[in-house]
Amino acid sequence: MRWLFSLLLLALLGAVQALSYTGGRLLVVLEEQSEREKYSVFLEDLAARGFHTTVDSPKSDKLSLFRHGERAYDHVILLPGKSKGLGPALTATQFLDFMKKEGNVLVALSSDHATPTAVQSLLLELDIHVPSDKGALVVDHFNYDSNSAAEKHDVLLLPYPKPLRPDVKNYFAGEGFIAVPRAIGQTLGNESPLIEPILRAPCTAYSYNPKDEADAVEDPFATGEQLSIVSSMQAHNSARLTVLGAAEMLQNGWFAEKATLNGKAIKTANRDFAQKLTAWTFKETGVLKIGKLFHYLDEGVSKKLNTSLAIPENNPKIYRVKQDVAFQVEISEYQGDHLAPYFPAPGDSVQLEFSMLSPFHRLNLTPISQTANSTIFGVSFKTPDQHGIFNFRINYRRPFLTNVDEKRQVTVRHFAHDEWPRSWQISGAWVWIGGIWVTVVGWVAFVAVWLYSAPTEKSVKKTQ
Amino acid sequence: MAPKSRHPEKSATASSSTPAKSSSKGGHVDAHEIVHGVWSKYVDKTPQRVKLLDSFMAFLVVVGALQFIYCCLVGNFPFNAFLSGFSATVGQFVLTASLRMQTNPENKAEFESISHERAFADFVFGSLILHFFCINFIN
């Protein structure tokens, strides 16, 4: 019996292993089932990582992103097809609703096929712009593959992307070159803080439509690093959408192809990059989880940090102004199949806000200890000289990391009347304390003399 | 009894006013002599209890002034302490001034209905309340 149980447990563990943080139901929308062979390695890789893949055509009647008002799938891959419409089940609104329910979408575009109108309006909604005319593609006369595109220069060989900023973690780093055949370049709007480029075109690239008859390209769609070949959008609820400019990148033909860059023979690393891209999009990487969150009075004898996670969160509901308070939070990062301690990129730090409408404190949290699968961040501070309803808040939003917004509300009260220092404890008050007591003693002496002197006066008067 | 005691006083004031007038008419009297004259008359003619009141009030003025000067020089950090210390002296001064008005034989006509004992009892009661408040306020 026991071995049966352990076997079951093992099987369960196997099912759980290397799965996305949010779930494994994956829908691959592919119009031509005959094209499935081209993506077989990519789909097998996904299945090997624990995704339950459903391949369906947009023309299928049963196809729906929702069932009973809930997501029917956790993730969607949209591969390009011949038809310009995607049908009533896959409209831009459906995709947005899917993302509102925290579903992740990978949209692959191809310059061989027209971009469906649903996808165009979806991208427009997210402030990602693609060229409107069919056939526009990115060319580069310096970084092309001279094996397959010696004439047209439309197969780009690009190194792995560098970190977006020095203080942002790079989830797409690697060694080698990525082949980008016939990509649709995107430009990203400046208004949205939610969109980030993953892979930019090199500065010598530009977008152009080979069907244009003109010899020289005039007024190109975009040039240089303005062009994003792979771009991403992470909504406030951390739903992710990735736009891949070249669906061909995912095909078997480019996963480990020999290519020549400027006369140097190389091997493309598309398989690895596709793995990293889908891992990020489908929340296998870059997922943060908040564990226990403590705050406590840090005054008097027990002035040491509490690093034990065994005790439950029994945080006080009320503090007083000008009290020393310690705060601790446990943050984990999901890495493929397990939660690991999270460390921010160098130059970045998780911050705690102690806020009432606006923050009165905004403090960097420092890692104070570490458990097997989380880092414990902590900071101590003094509550401000302002009473009211305050929040301990961690609002941590970084590119490529899921958004963290945790709050704990506390009351900060003013001093009770018996908590003020007594007058004699303040040396500055001694003069005036002296003033009062000199007055009182003088008054007592005066009363004594007055009473003592009264009869003599009377006797004097009597004698008169 | 009272009129008797008042009589010499009146005569004293009358006699003191006449030389003052004559001196102002003469125009050449030493300032020192005037001060000396005023002082000696005060010492001679004022009843002992009024002198006692006056000396207590002078003491209060000195204590209050010292506190105020200290506050101006050093600052009013525990402001409630300054307020209660200073107002203790000021309040005591006011109460003592009232007692002086009510018990001064010169004001006999105005405070006919209030005996000296009653005035003194009011003074003691008021002072005790004042001290109680000041000590509470300074915390």
Side-chain angles (χ1 to χ4, degrees):
Chain A
M1 200 65 210
R2 181 168 284 178
W3 64 269
L4 225 165
F5 191 73
S6 53
L7 217 110
L8 191 75
L9 205 79
L10 251 171
L12 274 173
L13 270 176
V16 165
Q17 206 201 6
L19 202 59
S20 154
Y21 195 67
T22 48
R25 295 170 300 169
L26 172 66
L27 173 70
V28 180
V29 179
L30 185 60
E31 197 178 329
E32 316 273 327
Q33 294 303 311
S34 56
E35 283 201 333
R36 187 173 172 170
E37 269 310 301
K38 290 187 183 170
Y39 298 100
S40 61
V41 178
F42 174 62
L43 295 177
E44 273 162 28
D45 281 354
L46 284 173
R49 265 154 52 207
F51 288 100
H52 306 295
T53 320
T54 314
V55 183
D56 214 338
S57 160
K59 286 169 183 157
S60 161
D61 297 334
K62 295 175 294 176
L63 180 70
S64 173
L65 297 178
F66 302 95
R67 189 186 300 141
H68 310 310
E70 284 301 321
R71 277 190 282 121
Y73 302 97
D74 300 307
H75 320 285
V76 171
I77 299 180
L78 196 62
L79 293 171
K82 280 203 177 69
S83 55
K84 188 132 169 79
L86 281 177
L90 299 171
T91 60
T93 327
Q94 296 269 355
F95 280 118
L96 289 175
D97 284 342
F98 183 71
M99 288 178 70
K100 276 177 195 160
K101 292 193 186 295
E102 296 180 18
N104 307 309
V105 182
L106 173 67
V107 179
L109 306 173
S110 168
S111 62
D112 297 340
H113 305 293
T115 311
T117 41
V119 172
Q120 269 180 358
S121 50
L122 170 68
L123 296 186
L124 206 61
E125 192 95 16
L126 307 176
D127 214 6
I128 300 172
H129 305 274
V130 291
S132 52
D133 47 344
K134 185 189 167 216
L137 45 78
V138 179
V139 292
D140 188 335
H141 303 303
F142 295 88
N143 303 304
Y144 62 94
D145 173 24
S146 40
N147 277 9
S148 59
E151 286 295 313
K152 288 182 171 174
H153 300 178
D154 55 359
V155 178
L156 275 57
L157 289 172
L158 306 179
Y160 273 88
K162 290 189 180 64
L164 197 62
R165 292 199 310 255
D167 58 342
V168 164
K169 280 198 176 186
N170 188 1
Y171 289 97
F172 312 99
E175 284 292 315
F177 284 87
I178 306 160
V180 185
R182 287 167 284 278
I184 294 186
Q186 307 115 44
T187 56
L188 308 181
N190 286 326
E191 297 300 313
S192 172
L194 307 173
I195 47 180
E196 307 289 349
I198 291 177
L199 183 63
R200 281 185 168 135
C203 55
T204 45
Y206 61 96
S207 180
Y208 122 99
N209 195 339
K211 281 174 193 144
D212 282 348
E213 295 299 317
D215 286 342
V217 182
E218 280 175 20
D219 194 18
F221 171 69
T223 57
E225 297 199 342
Q226 235 182 337
L227 277 168
S228 172
I229 287 169
V230 185
S231 38
S232 70
M233 180 267 185
Q234 183 176 256
H236 285 301
N237 65 356
S238 301
R240 286 168 177 177
L241 177 132
T242 305
V243 185
L244 180 63
E248 268 187 76
M249 281 169 74
L250 305 175
Q251 292 180 356
N252 301 353
W254 287 105
F255 261 22
E257 188 73 4
K258 287 191 179 68
T260 316
L261 175 63
N262 300 332
K264 201 169 59 182
I266 52 166
K267 207 167 187 191
T268 59
N270 281 24
R271 189 174 186 169
D272 181 51
F273 182 70
Q275 187 266 326
K276 282 180 171 140
L277 195 66
T278 48
W280 181 80
T281 310
F282 301 150
K283 295 210 182 121
E284 287 172 75
T285 53
V287 178
L288 295 184
K289 182 179 169 287
I290 293 280
K292 273 179 185 159
L293 198 147
F294 289 105
H295 52 86
Y296 51 89
L297 198 59
D298 190 20
E299 276 183 341
V301 223
S302 65
K303 200 158 185 153
K304 61 179 182 194
L305 287 174
N306 169 26
T307 51
S308 162
L309 289 168
I311 53 169
E313 276 190 38
N314 52 352
N315 294 326
K317 290 271 181 289
I318 188 163
Y319 290 105
R320 202 200 62 205
V321 298
K322 294 184 187 173
Q323 264 182 335
D324 289 318
V325 170
F327 177 87
Q328 276 175 48
V329 65
E330 190 191 3
I331 303 180
S332 323
E333 182 183 10
Y334 188 70
Q335 286 180 347
D337 54 353
H338 65 286
L339 288 169
Y342 173 67
F343 291 102
D348 182 25
S349 52
V350 188
Q351 288 185 315
L352 168 74
E353 286 178 6
F354 193 64
S355 58
M356 178 168 65
L357 297 181
S358 57
F360 282 61
H361 280 302
R362 187 182 280 137
L363 304 160
N364 287 346
L365 289 164
T366 44
I368 48 174
S369 71
Q370 193 179 330
T371 65
N373 46 19
S374 66
T375 313
I376 300 169
F377 292 88
V379 73
S380 308
F381 65 98
K382 200 181 257 302
T383 50
D385 191 5
Q386 169 74 51
H387 65 269
I389 307 296
F390 279 83
N391 276 314
F392 288 97
R393 185 176 183 201
I394 295 179
N395 190 9
Y396 187 65
R397 292 164 193 274
R398 296 291 182 273
F400 306 130
L401 285 171
T402 54
N403 298 320
V404 169
D405 192 356
E406 281 285 320
K407 273 189 204 177
R408 292 290 185 280
Q409 186 181 292
V410 289
T411 306
V412 176
R413 62 175 176 83
H414 43 65
F415 279 96
H417 79 279
D418 59 349
E419 283 173 332
W420 297 95
R422 302 306 298 262
S423 56
W424 59 84
Q425 287 166 336
I426 306 166
S427 57
W430 289 350
V431 171
W432 295 303
I433 296 172
I436 290 184
W437 286 106
V438 164
T439 311
V440 169
V441 168
W443 175 78
V444 168
F446 164 76
V447 167
V449 173
W450 174 280
L451 290 175
Y452 179 76
S453 66
T456 55
E457 204 178 330
K458 265 180 188 170
S459 65
V460 169
K461 278 168 193 167
K462 266 177 188 172
T463 49
Q464 279 180 342
Chain B
M1 205 194 284
K4 259 189 185 175
S5 64
R6 224 161 122 196
H7 229 76
E9 279 267 316
K10 268 202 171 169
S11 64
T13 47
S15 62
S16 67
S17 62
T18 39
K21 269 178 191 168
S22 65
S23 68
S24 64
K25 272 174 188 168
H28 286 290
V29 178
D30 200 4
H32 183 73
E33 265 178 46
I34 297 174
V35 172
H36 189 74
V38 167
W39 176 247
S40 59
K41 257 176 210 112
Y42 175 79
V43 170
D44 289 344
K45 307 295 179 193
T46 319
Q48 184 265 337
R49 270 189 158 169
V50 177
K51 277 187 197 157
L52 177 61
L53 279 164
D54 285 342
S55 54
F56 184 48
M57 283 161 79
F59 165 74
L60 288 173
V61 166
V62 170
V63 172
L66 284 175
Q67 290 184 63
F68 189 76
I69 289 164
Y70 178 81
C71 174
C72 290
L73 291 178
V74 180
N76 59 0
F77 159 53
F79 189 55
N80 65 318
F82 164 69
L83 280 183
S84 71
F86 189 61
S87 59
T89 24
V90 171
Q92 191 63 63
F93 183 86
V94 170
L95 287 169
T96 315
S98 326
L99 181 66
R100 190 182 189 277
M101 280 162 68
Q102 290 181 358
T103 57
N104 195 338
E106 282 187 49
N107 298 339
K108 182 71 186 169
E110 314 239 358
F111 299 103
E112 199 73 60
S113 58
I114 300 168
S115 69
H116 288 192
E117 287 75 18
R118 170 63 199 267
F120 183 68
D122 283 352
F123 167 75
V124 169
F125 182 65
S127 304
L128 285 175
I129 289 178
L130 177 73
H131 300 157
F132 177 77
F133 267 80
C134 288
I135 289 166
N136 270 293
F137 189 63
I138 204 171
N139 181 16

